Amino acid sequence: MQVPAPFTYERAGSVDEALSLLGRYGPEARLVAGGHSLLPMMKLRLARPEALVDINGLAELDYIRVDGDHLAIGAMTRHAAVLESPLLSEHYRIFAEAERVIADPLVRNRGTVGGSLCQADPSEDLSAVFAALRGEVVIRSTGGVRRVPMREFHVGPYETAVGDGEILVEVRVPIRTSVGSAYEKVERRAGDWSIAAAGAFVVLDGDRISDVGLGITAVGAEHFTCAEAEAALVGAQPDDEAVEAAAAICASSCNPTVDQRGPEDYKRHLVSVLVARALRRSIAVARVGSSRGVED
Amino acid sequence: MTATETPSPDTLTSPAGNPLGFGRMLRKEDARFVRGQGHYVDDLVLPGMLHGAILRSSYAHAKIVSIDTSAAEAHPKVKAVITGKTLEGLNLAWMPTLSGDVVAVLATDKVRFQGQEVAFVIAEDEYSARDALELIEVEYEPLPAVVDARHALDPDAPVIRDDLEGRTDNHIYDWEAGDAAACDEVFANAEVVVAEDMIYPRVHPAPMETCGAVAHMDKVTGKLTIWTTTQAPHAHRTIYALVAGLPEQKIQVISPDIGGGFGNKVGIYPGYVLAIVGSIVTGVPVKWVEDRSENLMSTSFARDYHMHGEIAATRDGKILGLRVNVLADHGAFNGVAQPTKFPAGFFHVFTGSYDYPAAHCKVTAVYTNKALGGVAYACSFRITEAVYLVERMVNCLAFELGMDPAELRMKNLLRPEQFPYTSPTGWVYDSGNYPRALEEAMRIAGYDELRAEQAKRREEAAKPGADPSAPLMGIGISFFTEAVGAGPRKHMDILGLGMADGCELRLHPTGKAQLRLSVQTQGQGHETTFAQIVSHVIGIPPEDIEVIHGDTDNTPFGLGTYGSRSTPVSGAAAAVAAQRVKEKAKVIAAAALECSVEDLEWEHGRWYVKGDHAAGKTMAEIAMAAHSSLELPEGVEGHLDASVVYNPPNLTYPFGAYICVVDVDPQTGAVKVRRFIAVDDCGPRINPMIVEGQVHGGLADGVGMALMEVIAFDSDGNNLGGSFMDYLLPTSMECPSWELGETVTPSPHHPIGVKGVGESATVGSPPAVVNAVLDALQIRAADMPFTPAVTWRALQGRPIRPDLAIE
């Protein structure tokens, strides 16, 4: 049996209590939500927190709701809830498409949105989804609340803007109309990390793309997106030429590492294929979307 | 379709609704397994028991300069730290392998693969034991590692086994089979010769339960009891006696419920020996259970064969000969578990299911800086590699000839009238009707319709403006012949122990029975299957027969369960024992009925007087009579039991025809298995449900090996498959709904005609998947596993070598 190094365990009953526990144990404390990434790393002794603050009791952070012109998702929302949410599916099918290929049902029942983002694995899927949608995260500390755009959230692999004594409590995504979205992923096996995955949303204004977002994971894309490709698409006609050009920009601008999932040339090629597919399907959905922007 | 009807007694049912013999019934063992009430080694808790953990090498090849255990020993919960030096004092630092080599129990001079055992900590609990591992300071002097087997014999390759006297290279052996000269002549004159290189990469059996042991040396009685994850408890007992010099009558090996073995649990691992040493040193029981990474990185791997095949044929597709050169990567120690006279296992059954006169193979085995093993993962002593070789070569030939691979196979399959058939490398196939099996698989698959669909899709794809993401459809066939049930004593032994199996059947006075076996189930349902064998012969209900195994003090000697040998060997032993009980019951029945033995006739479960059906005795009545004061004829002892040692006259040869249909995404390289049709012929099916379960598991293995499973190494010798995040096993998402069929060709030499099926699907399925993928890509060859990257690069004509780190 793989066993972790010694640590202290505390269970928080509220966000305030969790913050107080983080304050008490200092920088070597870690929050544990679903635990499906942190616990294996602890068992392999790659992570050695001195204290674990369990926030699974924080029902106050488990919600998916409309908040003004945004969708708000509580940090303790489980993957399974995102997958099954009619509200999210009504606005963005990218959520269900991404969740369907995240890990397996056991992990999705336990793993959380906030936990996934804060783990900040470079191959994580929701990072790409929220980057594509230009979401923002809400971070709380004893000093108050701050908001960080998703595209400034990741500081590096396994590193985020969430500082010591802070808790990510919510993720917010703007509601858009005439929008289509999609997620495409290739993995070696169900439950494996992506070799590469790409998500997109497209807003159409007549025969032009008026807004677009791209999310790319597992291949070292800066901030899990490709601003250059987005810029090339805005104002363009939603045709093969524009899609292929944007896909090519994504493929050349990402920084895939070579590993047993594939060599660099394959990963770049795969990015172009998946970005193009996600864009094409987003465009198709946006075209048939109703005036209030509900996906079909 | 069942070509031969199952024997009629099996249509009768017991009071519990089970067949009185062969037929579907729920597994007796599942009552505890589905309730989570199985009892495994790691469940065992003994008073005062301590816990061991192994420090392993992080280097693939390094000199050990020093080991400082003082900080670990100072840990408040640590009871002892054992190093190679400790073991040298006990003359236990090295132990023999099953292949005439030696392997370090704990490294003394060098470490030779990443994950090799370096020190053993014994502590009050397993957490403390693991914590203390980090306190041991080992100073290594790293050495260059031999990673690529193809360079193991280079003149400048580092010598791995400098512990062996006079070693100057990494060569282990050369071995050959078949007639090289006859082969050369056939090839020189053949109209068509096709050559191909292929790798059957290193994979791992990865049983759900890892390996472990609890050892208890009782200081007072001098008895060593070891509860351990072994597929071969009796072999382990004898080896412990030989290795450690312990008296064999004082060694009891208990193999409780085993969570999968697949060949991983045949050998003796250093951890087992360390648990024993730990118990001797501390005087209390010591438990050692490895973790997942330890299992993947240090215990018996499988395959790792680099093969160069050549096939000769006429232009119209008549195969004339097959020859092959193998470079076998055995890792740092030659620890292959197989019959002594067969260093390459049964690889030389590679001529397969076809009729041709000439064959030859040469196998060269080398040391590399990798873990040891080689025969595991349901491989039937390397028939997996053999079947892969021949089924790939036949497809390469079909590719070159432009022939349909089904037609080519049908043209060359052995015909029913050729059995018993002596192969060019000396195997005597017992029975078979191969064309019937292939026809049946093609019928279930709708083979002609599949080919028509494929042609239509290819036509569509060739049109201008065709969808570039349209899937490429591929159809792959594999026809395999297995050789299982090792084996005849005069040919087959392991460490000098002949491969015959003991078995004891005893009926208690009330007619309930106990069957004692030497083989050891690892989840495949022996408690049910063997009860059904006895029921089939003597007609008492399977629920009344308790199967006892996995305890050397309570079962007769035998070599264990691997190589699909349980039913062919111990199944025969059980059938013969039951037959003897039945005959003895006849004598007792005659005494009880006051008639002569010749006057009795058998109906299932009962002897009765000819012409007077009412005058008879059931087996239960006979059992009571056998234990009663009934006067028995001169020379007939009381009680009702039999003891058998079964020495198989030959191996059994199950076979099958498999067809796989895949769809490949040409842009991403992702492979989807659409359908898999498996027609197996393992002779009569004792419990068809268990047979189907075995086949299902093996087919999933095949999908796994063909599409994702591999242990590759980087240039420093780092294991790149050391966890389930890196070593991928297939899930239900990658497996289609299996479509099974059967034909039944009994073995003529087995008492109940059965042939064994435990490994058939694992052996037979990988080439079907690979042939399907390559058919989809319309290329002749590339190496598995076909991950998306490998498939895409193969399609680009720039294949990836699977056994090395991707660059």
Side-chain angles (χ1 to χ4, degrees):
Chain A
M1 186 173 75
Q2 276 150 336
V3 297
F7 63 93
T8 304
Y9 173 86
E10 297 276 4
R11 190 170 174 84
S14 66
V15 173
D16 288 336
E17 191 185 350
L19 287 170
S20 137
L21 287 166
L22 285 179
R24 189 195 309 166
Y25 288 103
E28 294 309 312
R30 287 284 298 269
L31 297 174
V32 61
H36 275 87
S37 298
L38 179 58
L39 298 187
M41 288 179 76
M42 287 171 65
K43 289 166 87 171
L44 293 167
R45 302 198 175 201
L46 298 170
R48 316 175 68 116
E50 288 170 10
L52 276 192
V53 178
D54 185 343
I55 55 170
N56 279 283
L58 303 194
E60 62 191 283
L61 297 184
D62 183 5
Y63 56 82
I64 301 170
R65 63 192 175 213
V66 174
D67 183 5
D69 54 0
H70 277 68
L71 297 166
I73 304 171
M76 285 304 293
T77 306
R78 311 283 170 181
H79 289 292
V82 174
L83 173 62
E84 289 156 14
S85 165
L87 177 65
L88 292 178
S89 289
E90 183 189 333
H91 290 279
Y92 294 106
R93 63 168 61 180
I94 189 175
F95 281 108
E97 288 190 3
E99 285 290 358
R100 198 175 295 125
V101 290
I102 289 176
D104 53 53
L106 300 177
V107 173
R108 293 198 294 264
N109 286 340
R110 190 81 187 151
T112 64
V113 170
S116 293
L117 294 182
C118 290
Q119 177 68 17
D121 189 291
S123 300
E124 206 275 314
D125 290 286
L126 290 185
S127 298
V129 170
F130 288 116
L133 298 176
R134 290 200 200 90
E136 61 178 11
V137 299
V138 180
I139 298 170
R140 253 181 75 180
S141 66
T142 50
V145 169
R146 64 189 181 107
R147 295 186 175 189
V148 176
M150 197 60 213
R151 293 181 179 193
E152 294 168 20
F153 178 71
H154 292 95
V155 180
Y158 306 99
E159 283 183 80
T160 73
V162 180
D164 297 339
E166 288 191 316
I167 298 181
L168 187 156
V169 291
E170 185 178 279
V171 193
R172 299 169 64 83
V173 170
I175 292 172
R176 299 180 175 92
T177 56
S178 300
V179 66
S181 66
Y183 197 74
E184 291 277 347
K185 171 169 169 173
V186 170
E187 51 193 356
R188 292 177 299 178
R189 187 207 66 190
D192 186 26
W193 291 109
S194 305
I195 301 169
F201 82 83
V202 172
V203 176
L204 292 182
D205 181 6
D207 65 347
R208 296 284 162 180
I209 296 172
S210 62
D211 194 6
V212 63
L214 290 172
I216 303 164
T217 191
V219 285
E222 204 171 345
H223 299 303
F224 289 86
T225 187
C226 181
E228 191 189 339
E230 290 174 340
L233 285 163
V234 172
Q237 288 189 343
D239 55 17
D240 279 349
E241 196 182 337
V243 165
E244 295 294 346
I249 294 169
C250 293
S252 61
S253 66
C254 65
N255 297 290
T257 52
V258 176
D259 57 20
Q260 292 311 93
R261 290 187 177 82
E264 183 184 336
D265 63 340
Y266 169 70
K267 289 189 174 182
R268 288 190 190 279
H269 162 81
L270 189 59
V271 167
S272 74
V273 170
L274 298 183
V275 167
R277 287 183 181 182
L279 280 171
R280 283 200 180 90
R281 290 203 298 112
S282 298
I283 290 165
V285 173
R287 278 198 172 117
V288 299
S290 74
S291 58
R292 58 181 280 267
V294 175
E295 297 189 351
D296 65 334
Chain B
M1 186 190 75
T2 305
T4 305
E5 290 305 317
T6 313
S8 60
D10 306 302
T11 58
L12 303 169
T13 54
S14 74
N18 293 321
L20 284 173
F22 297 174
R24 288 174 194 275
M25 64 174 275
L26 296 181
R27 305 196 324 164
K28 297 168 69 174
E29 43 272 81
D30 285 347
R32 66 179 190 276
F33 289 146
V34 300
R35 289 175 171 88
Q37 297 296 311
H39 195 74
Y40 300 88
V41 168
D42 202 23
D43 294 323
L44 189 67
V45 177
L46 297 177
M49 186 175 78
L50 299 174
H51 298 261
I54 293 174
L55 180 71
R56 295 177 181 277
S57 165
S58 50
Y59 291 100
H61 199 191
K63 190 163 175 275
I64 296 175
V65 179
S66 64
I67 302 177
D68 181 355
T69 60
S70 53
E73 283 162 353
H75 187 289
K77 292 189 172 177
V78 168
K79 297 294 182 186
V81 179
I82 295 170
T83 64
K85 277 220 163 32
T86 325
L87 295 181
E88 273 178 337
L90 301 165
N91 200 25
L92 276 175
W94 296 82
M95 64 177 176
T97 71
L98 295 175
S99 286
D101 196 356
V102 291
V103 59
V105 177
L106 289 174
T108 51
D109 53 342
K110 288 203 304 192
V111 290
R112 293 175 169 85
F113 66 90
Q114 189 187 44
Q116 190 181 341
E117 297 80 359
V118 175
F120 188 62
V121 171
I122 302 164
E124 288 174 22
D125 59 72
E126 59 188 311
Y127 293 87
S128 303
R130 293 259 168 176
D131 291 347
L133 293 182
E134 298 181 340
L135 302 174
I136 300 174
E137 297 280 342
V138 184
E139 190 187 336
Y140 292 106
E141 186 183 306
L143 300 167
V146 180
V147 176
D148 185 347
R150 295 175 192 180
H151 294 295
L153 298 180
D154 288 355
D156 58 347
V159 178
I160 298 168
R161 295 303 302 282
D162 48 358
D163 59 298
L164 300 173
E165 189 82 23
R167 262 296 156 176
T168 55
D169 61 21
N170 296 313
H171 181 262
I172 305 177
Y173 66 76
D174 290 313
W175 185 82
E176 51 189 307
D179 187 334
C183 224
D184 291 347
E185 195 179 325
V186 164
F187 274 79
N189 299 311
E191 292 172 354
V192 182
V193 172
V194 181
E196 194 58 78
D197 289 301
M198 65 192 79
I199 301 176
Y200 204 135
R202 178 175 283 234
V203 291
H204 197 279
M208 194 185 297
E209 179 203 31
T210 59
C211 298
V214 176
H216 181 209
M217 172 61 92
D218 187 316
K219 277 183 167 170
V220 177
T221 63
K223 178 163 183 171
L224 170 68
T225 309
I226 176 159
W227 293 261
T228 183
T229 49
T230 174
Q231 303 174 216
H234 291 276
H236 277 210
R237 183 192 66 207
T238 303
I239 294 168
Y240 289 135
L242 295 171
V243 171
L246 297 166
E248 196 171 3
Q249 83 281 11
K250 295 273 194 188
I251 304 173
Q252 181 179 12
V253 176
I254 298 173
S255 187
D257 285 330
I258 301 294
F262 316 105
N264 187 234
K265 294 169 180 167
V266 174
I268 290 181
Y269 295 117
Y272 303 163
V273 177
L274 291 167
I276 295 171
V277 173
S279 182
I280 293 172
V281 168
T282 62
V284 292
V286 171
K287 176 189 278 186
W288 165 79
V289 179
E290 71 189 0
D291 66 34
R292 177 61 57 194
S293 292
E294 293 181 289
N295 179 256
L296 285 168
M297 291 175 69
S298 71
T299 64
S300 184
F301 74 92
R303 331 288 192 248
D304 220 337
Y305 260 31
H306 299 243
M307 301 183 277
H308 175 79
E310 293 171 274
I311 190 166
T314 63
R315 235 180 294 283
D316 63 353
K318 185 80 191 88
I319 300 171
L320 301 172
L322 184 61
R323 63 185 174 192
V324 50
N325 274 289
V326 178
L327 177 66
D329 185 340
H330 280 219
F333 307 90
N334 186 20
V336 183
Q338 72 228 329
T340 307
K341 292 177 193 163
F342 304 88
F346 297 168
F347 179 77
H348 56 305
V349 74
F350 70 88
T351 59
S353 313
Y354 309 103
D355 180 18
Y356 53 88
H360 179 255
C361 72
K362 180 175 177 237
V363 181
T364 297
V366 297
Y367 290 121
T368 60
N369 286 112
K370 304 175 189 174
L372 62 161
V375 164
Y377 201 168
C379 74
S380 296
F381 299 119
R382 296 212 192 268
I383 298 176
T384 328
E385 291 93 321
V387 167
Y388 188 72
L389 183 273
V390 63
E391 290 306 298
R392 285 290 306 121
M393 290 312 298
V394 168
N395 254 52
C396 290
L397 177 62
F399 188 94
E400 287 306 312
L401 295 175
M403 253 178 107
D404 184 293
E407 183 191 346
L408 178 62
R409 283 182 173 80
M410 202 58 96
K411 191 181 178 97
N412 289 283
L413 283 176
L414 291 164
R415 299 178 310 281
E417 64 272 19
Q418 290 177 275
F419 292 88
Y421 165 78
T422 302
S423 83
T425 49
W427 301 85
V428 182
Y429 296 10
D430 58 351
S431 64
N433 187 335
Y434 293 178
R436 182 175 63 167
L438 182 54
E439 281 163 11
E440 177 64 359
M442 291 170 72
R443 182 192 69 76
I444 297 171
Y447 187 78
D448 293 341
E449 292 82 358
L450 286 172
R451 285 290 178 203
E453 182 196 341
Q454 183 185 47
K456 190 159 167 254
R457 283 172 178 273
R458 285 179 178 172
E459 198 180 313
E460 290 295 323
K463 286 180 183 166
D467 176 6
S469 67
L472 309 174
M473 177 183 174
I475 305 160
I477 302 175
S478 165
F479 197 104
F480 69 91
T481 298
E482 273 254 71
V484 303
R489 290 177 60 166
K490 65 179 172 183
H491 299 307
M492 294 174 189
D493 70 272
I494 290 182
L495 285 183
L497 303 168
M499 302 186 79
D501 283 1
C503 172
E504 294 166 9
L505 174 63
R506 172 169 304 151
L507 266 66
H508 294 322
T510 58
K512 316 292 184 188
Q514 287 188 325
L515 181 73
R516 293 167 197 276
L517 298 171
S518 62
V519 287
Q520 172 58 24
T521 190
Q522 307 130 46
Q524 57 269 69
H526 284 186
E527 288 163 48
T528 308
T529 297
F530 281 85
Q532 289 188 262
I533 290 172
V534 172
S535 179
H536 172 79
V537 178
I538 63 174
I540 66 173
E543 62 267 25
D544 290 348
I545 302 161
E546 191 71 9
V547 173
I548 296 164
H549 51 192
D551 180 347
T552 55
D553 275 9
N554 289 301
T555 56
F557 189 85
L559 268 262
T561 292
Y562 41 82
S564 297
R565 65 186 298 280
S566 291
T567 315
V569 186
S570 274
V576 172
Q579 191 63 40
R580 288 187 190 164
V581 162
K582 181 179 157 187
E583 290 308 314
K584 184 170 178 183
K586 188 179 187 182
V587 176
I588 295 163
L593 292 164
E594 298 180 348
C595 65
S596 94
V597 168
E598 290 73 40
D599 290 339
L600 291 178
E601 287 212 347
W602 174 254
E603 66 177 341
H604 204 46
R606 183 172 179 266
W607 287 108
Y608 69 95
V609 180
K610 281 178 201 166
D612 183 4
H613 187 259
K617 294 282 181 195
T618 64
M619 285 301 291
E621 291 166 336
I622 297 167
M624 187 59 83
H627 291 81
S628 73
S629 58
L630 174 74
E631 198 166 323
L632 296 173
E634 189 67 28
V636 178
E637 294 174 342
H639 303 178
L640 192 50
D641 51 28
S643 178
V644 170
V645 177
Y646 186 79
N647 178 27
N650 186 10
L651 301 180
T652 55
Y653 293 77
F655 58 92
Y658 290 176
I659 298 176
C660 179
V661 184
V662 300
D663 292 300
V664 180
D665 184 327
Q667 293 182 313
T668 67
V671 177
K672 173 91 186 151
V673 179
R674 188 203 299 184
R675 291 178 67 194
F676 200 107
I677 295 92
V679 172
D680 272 278
D681 191 326
C682 54
R685 297 185 172 202
I686 297 163
N687 185 326
M689 186 193 75
I690 289 178
V691 171
E692 288 161 11
Q694 293 282 294
V695 173
H696 284 181
L699 297 179
D701 288 343
V703 168
M705 285 180 274
L707 300 186
M708 63 195 76
E709 290 180 46
V710 62
I711 295 182
F713 291 81
D714 71 13
S715 55
D716 292 328
N718 291 309
N719 185 317
L720 302 178
S723 82
F724 276 165
M725 285 199 298
D726 305 300
Y727 189 77
L728 300 178
L729 294 172
T731 73
S732 59
M733 299 297 285
E734 286 75 43
C735 296
S737 184
W738 313 113
E739 299 171 64
L740 305 190
E742 67 173 304
T743 60
V744 179
T745 312
S747 169
H749 66 76
H750 189 284
I752 50 174
V754 301
K755 291 186 165 187
V757 75
E759 301 171 324
S760 286
T762 312
V763 168
S765 58
V769 183
V770 169
N771 284 338
V773 173
L774 293 170
D775 184 53
L777 305 183
Q778 294 181 265
I779 61 177
R780 196 174 89 177
D783 286 317
M784 60 181 172
F786 286 97
T787 61
V790 168
T791 309
W792 183 77
R793 284 283 291 265
L795 196 53
Q796 303 297 308
R798 294 178 294 128
I800 290 173
R801 210 177 127 180
D803 58 328
L804 304 177
I806 289 177
E807 289 178 342

